Amino acid sequence: MRSDEIKKEPSRAPHRSLLYGTGVPKSSMDRPFIGICSSFTDLIPGHTGMRDLERWIEKGVHTGGGHSFIFSVPGICDGIAMGHKGMHYSLPSRDAITDMIECVVEAHRLDGVVFLTNCDKITPGMLMAAARVDVPSVFVTAGPMLSGNWRMQRRSFVRDTFEAIAKYRSGEIDGEELEHLEMCSCPSQGSCQGLYTANTMACLTEAMGMSLPGCGSALAGQAKKKRIAFDSGVQICNLVKDDIKPKDILTENAFHNAVTVDLALGGSTNTALHLPAIANETGFKLDLNLFDKLSKNTPHITNLRPGGEYFMEDLEYAGGIPAVLKSLKTLLKDNITVTGGNIYESADSAVCFDENIIRNIDNPYHKEGGIAVLRGNIAPDGSVVKQSAVDNEMLNFTGTAKVYDSEEDALSAIMEGDVKDGNIVVIRYEGPKGGPGMREMLAPTAAITGMGLKKVALITDGRFSGGTRGPCIGHISPEAAEGGIIALVQNGDKISINIPEGKINLDVDKSQLEERKKEWVKPAPKIEKGYLAKYSMYVSSAAEGAIFKKS
C-alpha cells in the first residue's frame, strides 16, 4: 500500500507516533488509509449537509476495512459570488482546489480517496485532482436542492430570484413579492434545483463512472444519499484492493459518454471548460470539436430548467442518470465504473418511470444535443451556446451591437432600458485572462429575460451560469484581452448568429477590421496582485478549457 511509506519499518517510528497522536489505533496500521476529501462549508447551501454525509462515508470505509481521515478544501458559491469582484475567483478556484488535493494526498501517501463535493468548480477541481494523483477514488455528490414553493407554484433559484429582480425593476412585481420569492426559492440544503453547472457536473461524474449509480440526481438530505455515501465508503476499499484507479475509468470512452449525456440533458455550457480540463489531467486532449461532432447525432431527451420546466427532483423520480443511460445506451461506449462493472450494466438495471421527463431517443425534445459550438470571424477558435434553451425564432438572428467592457456596465444599461429588442449585447474583457477568471454572466442574462426583452442576444468572452437561457453565446475565443476580434467590435456593428449552422460573424469588412486592429491598445490588467494576477499570466484560452499552461 502507498501508506506503508509512512507506517512501516523502524525508520517510520516518528511518523507512526504522529499518527497515533491523531487517535489512530494500532490495529488500523494494517488497513488502507482512505482520505475523505470534503468541501463542507456553512457558506454554500449545496454543502451544508456534508457533515452528515462525512459520517456515512466514514462508516462505509470502516465497514469495508479501511481507516478514514477527513481533510477539507474550500468552496465558492457562484450564486453568492455573482455580479461583483467575487466572481473573478470562481473559475480560478477550480485549479487551486486541484493543487491543494494533490499536496495532501501525495504528502500523506493516502491509499484512496472518497471525494465529497457538490457545486460548480469544486466537482471539476476534485475530478482533475483524482486524475492527477491517480489513486483509487469514488465521488459522492451531495445532491440537488428540493424545489421551493410560493403561491402553490414550484419555485427555483434562478427564475425566482435573478429574473425576479428585473421584474421588480420593471414594475411587474412589487417589493413584497420579491421578498417572498427570495425566502422561498432555496428551501433546503442542496445544489440549485435545475440543470445548472453543479447538477450537470454531478450527472456527468456518474456518466463517466466516477460515482455509484444513482448518485448524480439523488436528492440532498434524503436517506438514499446517505446510503450512497455509506456504499461509496465500502467501495473505495474494494477499489484499493483491486487497484482500480481514476485513469482506468477516465478513458476516451468515458469522456465520449460524458459529452453524450451532457448534450442529451441540455447541460451547462461550463462543461465545455471542465471536461477538457479533466481530460487534460489524464493526458487526453478533448476539444470543442467533440461537442460539435456528437451534438449532431445526440438528441436532447429532457426538458429541465432553466430552458425547460422540470426540476432535478423530477429527473430523480423518473429514474435518474441510470434511466438516462438506458435511453442513450446505443450512443454510449463501453467503459468501467467505480462499481467494478461497466456503464452498460448501469443502463440495463435502470427503470424509467416517466418517459416524458426522460424521453426515448426516438421521441426527443430536440433532434440535436443541448450545446452547440459556433465559429466565425469573431470566434475562430469557437464559442458555445446552450441551444436547447433558445427559442426557435432566435436560432437565426442578426442584431446591432451594444458594446460594454465589463459585466457591470452591461447590467446597468439593461436595467436602465438602454438595450432594446434587435440589439446584441457584447460584453468583453471578461475572459480567462481579461477578467481575470472568466466571470459568469447570469445577472445580465437574467435581466434580459426579466425585462421582457424577447429579441436580444448576448455574446461574451466570459461565460454563463448553467442557469442562463436564451441566445447567450459565451467563451468567444480568442478573447478580447488577447486581441481577439471581439475587442474590435463597435456600437452599431451588425452581428449575425446562426445556431443551426454553427456560425457567428461580425459583419464588418476585413480591411476595416485590420484598420481597427492597428488602433487597438491592449488594456492594463484589471487586477495586478495576488492569486488572480498569477492566474491571468498562465491560464490558457476558454477553447482549451482555461487550464494552467505548463510554460
Side-chain angles (χ1 to χ4, degrees), residues 55-359:
R55 291 180 57 238
W56 288 98
I57 295 169
E58 276 187 314
K59 291 178 181 181
V61 169
H62 288 268
T63 299
H67 188 94
S68 65
F69 301 84
I70 297 173
F71 68 98
S72 300
V73 294
I76 288 174
C77 176
D78 279 25
I80 296 173
M82 195 78 65
H84 54 85
K85 183 180 179 181
M87 183 46 73
H88 288 290
Y89 289 89
S90 175
L91 183 59
S93 75
R94 180 192 71 181
D95 298 85
I97 287 166
T98 303
D99 291 346
M100 284 185 279
I101 293 168
E102 176 193 356
C103 291
V104 173
V105 174
E106 295 290 20
H108 293 268
R109 313 310 294 156
L110 296 174
D111 297 303
V113 184
V114 179
F115 291 94
L116 178 56
T117 178
N118 215 17
C119 286
D120 295 27
K121 309 309 172 296
I122 303 134
T123 299
M126 287 187 175
L127 283 163
M128 290 164 65
R132 182 184 296 178
V133 300
D134 201 31
V135 301
S137 303
V138 178
F139 277 69
V140 178
T141 48
M145 181 186 294
L146 293 168
S147 61
N149 197 292
W150 169 242
R151 298 188 187 276
M152 295 305 295
Q153 292 182 31
R154 290 199 294 174
R155 304 291 182 170
S156 65
F157 169 61
V158 173
R159 286 199 192 176
D160 296 299
T161 60
F162 275 98
E163 292 181 12
I165 294 169
K167 292 179 180 179
Y168 167 72
R169 293 281 181 87
S170 68
E172 184 177 340
I173 63 174
D174 60 20
E176 183 179 358
E177 182 72 5
L178 180 63
E179 183 177 356
H180 283 297
L181 288 171
E182 69 184 57
M183 291 294 294
C184 296
S185 294
C186 295
S188 68
Q189 63 176 267
S191 49
C192 304
Q193 305 101 324
L195 200 61
Y196 315 136
T197 306
N199 289 324
T200 299
M201 286 306 305
C203 292
L204 301 193
T205 300
E206 182 178 337
M208 287 189 286
M210 289 300 293
S211 60
L212 293 180
C215 186
S217 63
L219 299 170
Q222 296 199 345
K224 178 180 177 181
K225 184 64 78 175
K226 296 175 183 179
R227 289 191 290 271
I228 289 172
F230 177 86
D231 291 341
S232 298
V234 173
Q235 186 59 17
I236 189 62
C237 298
N238 294 328
L239 293 176
V240 170
K241 177 183 177 182
D242 296 336
D243 196 31
I244 297 175
K245 300 175 181 177
K247 286 184 181 178
D248 298 321
I249 298 170
L250 293 173
T251 64
E252 290 190 31
N253 283 359
F255 289 104
H256 170 100
N257 293 343
V259 174
T260 298
V261 171
D262 188 15
L263 295 168
L265 291 173
S268 167
T269 53
N270 280 317
T271 58
L273 294 172
H274 299 323
L275 291 177
I278 299 162
N280 179 68
E281 295 291 348
T282 72
F284 167 59
K285 181 174 175 57
L286 188 162
D287 60 31
L288 291 177
N289 290 329
L290 184 61
F291 287 84
D292 203 21
K293 176 184 175 182
L294 294 181
S295 185
K296 304 300 182 186
N297 300 309
T298 303
H300 175 224
I301 62 171
T302 67
N303 193 36
L304 300 175
R305 289 194 176 200
E309 293 303 320
Y310 291 115
F311 292 69
M312 282 299 296
E313 63 197 53
D314 299 315
L315 179 69
E316 163 66 5
Y317 297 142
I321 295 305
V324 172
L325 298 175
K326 188 181 189 74
S327 178
L328 298 173
K329 185 178 176 181
T330 58
L331 303 178
L332 302 176
K333 293 188 175 182
D334 188 19
N335 203 66
I336 68 166
T337 78
V338 292
T339 64
N342 63 37
I343 201 72
Y344 293 145
E345 293 174 358
S346 297
D348 290 338
S349 64
V351 178
C352 179
F353 297 103
D354 191 320
E355 293 188 354
N356 196 47
I357 295 172
I358 303 172
R359 290 191 173 184

Side-chain angles (χ1 to χ4, degrees), residues 460-488:
T460 181
D461 54 7
R463 61 193 176 88
F464 295 118
S465 161
T468 294
R469 53 180 171 148
C472 300
I473 298 153
H475 306 198
I476 297 282
S477 298
E479 63 175 288
E482 292 190 305
I485 296 297
I486 191 173
L488 309 181

Side-chain angles (χ1 to χ4, degrees), residues 397-409:
F397 178 67
T398 297
T400 304
K402 298 277 286 187
V403 184
Y404 306 95
D405 288 346
S406 72
E407 176 191 4
E408 289 84 357
D409 289 347

